[in-house]
Amino acid sequence: MHELHLCETCWLEIPSTLQSCTPPKLIQKCWTLGRYDSPLGSLLRRCKYKPERGILDAVAQRITRSKIDIPRSDQVTHVPTPFRRIARRGFDQAQVLAKRIASSHNIPHASLLKRLDATPQSSRTERDRQKNLSFRFEAVRPIQRSILLVDDIFTTGSTLEACAIALLDQGAEQINAIVVCTR
């Protein structure tokens, strides 16, 4: 039994390095650690719905030890979690991951985005996720040229797209992304 309460077989199924995935249109490159329908997804669900920060430590360690060439970014930011979820959980999981990634790559982290729509994506249909993309996020700080955007789950890409729209509208020229899981 692993310290995160996974059997050794499940722990070994979690990839130890990031892999490239197909990005949404406005994102140049995107990497993921693994699939949501795997033990990694099970860990992430535990972290999202219960305050198990140790899971984020283990996931962040796998991401930061990856042997991939992430294009140099001027800033790292994250997809902000709705305030009610942060209040219930005690932390923003994407922010925790983004700060660790920024620190390990010696890139400044900044909370660049504000969520305008507090409805969690997990409660929406795919069609609803695609509606009104540009109205869900707003850039709240000056934006650098090149941004590395971090999120926990990539389902349809609409959240990353909405964040990219807000960042590009404020002057970003290149956006790459790291997500923990893809569906």
Side-chain angles (χ1 to χ4, degrees):
M1 183 72 81
H2 190 270
E3 67 208 31
L4 295 176
H5 306 290
L6 285 177
C7 69
E8 195 60 32
T9 302
C10 290
W11 179 248
L12 292 173
E13 281 185 39
I14 297 174
S16 59
T17 192
L18 290 168
Q19 49 212 311
S20 184
C21 61
T22 304
K25 285 183 277 186
L26 298 175
I27 307 287
Q28 278 70 39
K29 293 184 180 180
C30 188
W31 298 269
T32 183
L33 194 54
R35 300 275 311 155
Y36 191 71
D37 59 358
S38 72
L40 179 61
S42 176
L43 277 178
L44 196 56
R45 283 187 296 280
R46 280 179 29 209
C47 181
K48 283 178 74 83
Y49 301 108
K50 296 178 185 176
E52 292 190 46
R53 259 184 105 143
I55 291 170
L56 287 178
D57 293 333
V59 169
Q61 188 174 55
R62 293 251 171 149
I63 290 172
T64 59
R65 288 184 176 172
S66 288
K67 306 274 190 281
I68 62 161
D69 286 330
I70 297 173
R72 181 70 184 151
S73 299
D74 298 317
Q75 285 178 304
V76 176
T77 196
H78 62 281
V79 175
T81 299
F83 180 74
R84 284 178 290 187
R85 283 235 172 124
I86 295 170
R88 190 173 343 128
R89 187 183 305 135
F91 57 89
D92 180 333
Q93 72 281 357
Q95 182 182 43
V96 169
L97 291 166
K99 284 182 174 184
R100 298 229 170 96
I101 292 166
S103 176
S104 75
H105 287 85
N106 244 1
I107 304 169
H109 171 268
S111 295
L112 299 176
L113 297 163
K114 175 172 95 174
R115 186 178 281 271
L116 300 176
D117 178 1
T119 305
Q121 285 288 71
S122 59
S123 67
R124 297 173 191 241
T125 65
E126 182 173 344
R127 186 176 183 171
D128 288 341
R129 291 172 192 234
Q130 298 296 333
K131 288 182 186 174
N132 299 321
L133 292 180
S134 61
F135 300 109
R136 281 197 258 142
F137 297 94
E138 175 180 78
V140 295
R141 290 187 178 13
I143 306 299
Q144 299 294 318
R145 223 175 51 98
S146 177
I147 305 295
L148 179 61
L149 180 61
V150 177
D151 199 10
D152 55 357
I153 301 172
F154 176 154
T155 302
T156 64
S158 64
T159 298
L160 293 176
E161 240 355 65
C163 290
I165 289 168
L167 294 167
L168 291 166
D169 283 349
Q170 291 300 315
E173 295 175 13
Q174 179 178 350
I175 303 167
N176 294 300
I178 292 177
V179 294
V180 176
C181 292
T182 56
R183 284 195 182 204

